[in-house]
């Protein structure tokens, strides 16, 4: 019987593992089918994690010490794929795995994250991390005093375009329609920004470049013509796929309350609607999708899990 099962080995899961074990829970296992570290290991450069002051620190460089630190206090890492988390009537959680085996746990912290949706244009995968990005907060600074393109028409795309407009000389906002799916106030601010050019009724066709990275993007306009926009950076914001599959029950329902977008509803203590079940990191509602925030979530969830186990078992 595990005191706590942690599903996912990114920054949230690793921090949860560190805090639960160091905080007194004896039997804690983190289930991560691959190597720990999470999505951030794909980033070529990290400048905004507090204390990580080394020059040209990559996401992989940042995350390499984390597992060793966590395991020093007793965290176990099992390289298994969890297929479902369910809860019995007696309050014990069942962790089912792809190999047909299962574990029982007194508490569970789910940190399976989310993945940015791809916009689907040529060169998007080839140049991802070398000029194509899904995080303005992470990568916007690299394009200070340069021109960039933003793809998308929702709240996130417009808010990130406004953020980039403060750093970059010009932002081309590319959207496949002529109306935006965003708050009226946000739309008004975008239209009022002098260095944001709206490229509407335009579909991204191809990002192109060379060994040094992106040189520009070609978009198909409403009349069928192709426009080339020369920029070193392209930011795509077309939504996220939340990795919530482990919470889907046999009858197709979710184990806990979710938002309409598939994110886990939590309170400020990372508690879900199910006692003993916590969610942290990019899969929870309103997540800022930053490493430092995911780590904070993991710490909060871990402290609450310790309290829950102490009081209920």
């Amino acid at each position: 019987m595990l005191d706590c099962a942690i599903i996912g080995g990114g920054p949230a899961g690793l921090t949860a593992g560190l805090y639960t074990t160091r905080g007194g829970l004896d039997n804690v296992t983190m289930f991560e089918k691959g190597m720990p570290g999470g999505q951030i290991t794909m980033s070529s450069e990290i400048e905004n994690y507090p204390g990580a002051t080394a020059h040209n620190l990559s996401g992989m460089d940042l995350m390499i010490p984390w597992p060793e630190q966590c395991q020093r206090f007793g965290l176990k890492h099992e390289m298994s794929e969890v297929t479902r988390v369910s809860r019995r009537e007696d309050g014990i959680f069942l962790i089912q795995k792809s190999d047909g085996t299962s574990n029982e746990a007194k508490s569970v912290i789910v940190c399976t994250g989310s993945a940015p949706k791809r916009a689907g244009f040529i060169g998007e995968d080839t140049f991802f991390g070398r000029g194509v990005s899904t995080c303005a907060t992470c990568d916007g600074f690299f394009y200070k005093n340069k021109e960039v393109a933003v793809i998308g028409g929702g709240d996130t795309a417009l808010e990130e375009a406004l953020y980039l407009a403060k750093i970059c000389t010009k932002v081309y906002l590319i959207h496949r329609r002529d109306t935006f799916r965003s708050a009226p106030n946000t739309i008004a601010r975008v239209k009022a920004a002098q260095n944001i050019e709206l490229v509407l009724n335009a579909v991204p066709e191809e990002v192109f470049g060379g060994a040094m990275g992106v040189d520009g993007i070609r978009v198909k306009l409403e009349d069928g013509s192709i426009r080339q926009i020369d920029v070193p950076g392209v930011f795509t914001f077309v939504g996220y796929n939340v990795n919530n599959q482990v919470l889907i029950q046999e009858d197709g329902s979710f184990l806990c309350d979710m938002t309409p977008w598939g994110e886990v509803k939590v309170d400020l203590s990372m508690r879900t609607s199910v006692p003993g079940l916590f969610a942290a990191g990019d899969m929870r509602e309103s997540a800022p999708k930053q490493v430092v925030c995911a780590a904070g979530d993991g710490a909060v969830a871990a402290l609450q899990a310790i309290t829950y186990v102490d009081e209920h078992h």
Side-chain angles (χ1 to χ4, degrees), residues 2 51 81 124 128 159 184 204 228 232 303:
L2 299 176
E81 181 179 6
E124 183 177 16
F128 191 82
E159 287 165 4
Q228 179 170 308
L303 294 172

Side-chain angles (χ1 to χ4, degrees), residues 68-231:
E68 182 181 351
Q69 180 187 12
C70 300
Q71 289 165 3
R72 198 172 76 211
F73 295 100
L75 175 67
K76 300 179 184 68
H77 171 212
E78 182 174 319
M79 292 184 73
S80 298
E81 181 179 6
V82 174
T83 56
R84 180 176 295 136
V85 177
S86 55
R87 189 174 187 261
R88 302 195 310 232
E89 290 186 3
D90 62 0
I92 297 300
F93 292 92
L94 188 66
I95 315 300
Q96 296 172 257
K97 296 174 285 187
S98 59
D99 62 2
T101 62
S102 61
N103 293 83
E104 295 178 335
K106 299 173 184 176
S107 65
V108 174
I109 303 173
V110 184
C111 317
T112 45
S114 67
K117 291 180 181 177
R118 291 290 196 255
F121 50 80
I122 298 169
E124 183 177 16
D125 292 334
T126 303
F127 289 101
F128 191 82
R130 295 194 304 120
V132 174
S133 173
T134 54
C135 181
T137 312
C138 311
D139 299 329
F141 183 79
F142 301 127
Y143 303 98
K144 186 176 182 179
N145 298 324
K146 298 178 181 179
E147 297 187 354
V148 296
V150 170
I151 299 169
D155 281 315
T156 302
L158 269 63
E159 287 165 4
E160 298 285 48
L162 287 166
Y163 174 85
L164 289 165
K166 298 175 183 176
I167 302 170
C168 305
T169 55
K170 188 168 185 176
V171 177
Y172 297 90
L173 181 56
I174 301 166
H175 183 39
R176 62 178 62 240
R177 301 181 181 86
D178 59 3
T179 56
F180 295 103
R181 296 168 287 104
S182 184
N185 181 53
T186 305
I187 297 171
R189 288 169 59 208
V190 165
K191 290 182 176 179
Q194 294 186 351
N195 63 336
I196 296 180
E197 179 181 330
L198 302 182
V199 184
L200 304 178
N201 295 313
V203 179
E205 289 275 299
E206 178 184 9
V207 164
F208 61 92
M212 299 303 292
V214 167
D215 292 327
I217 183 171
R218 298 185 182 99
V219 298
K220 188 174 184 178
L221 303 179
E222 194 172 23
D223 61 5
S225 63
I226 300 295
R227 177 180 175 184
Q228 179 170 308
I229 303 172
D230 296 325
V231 288

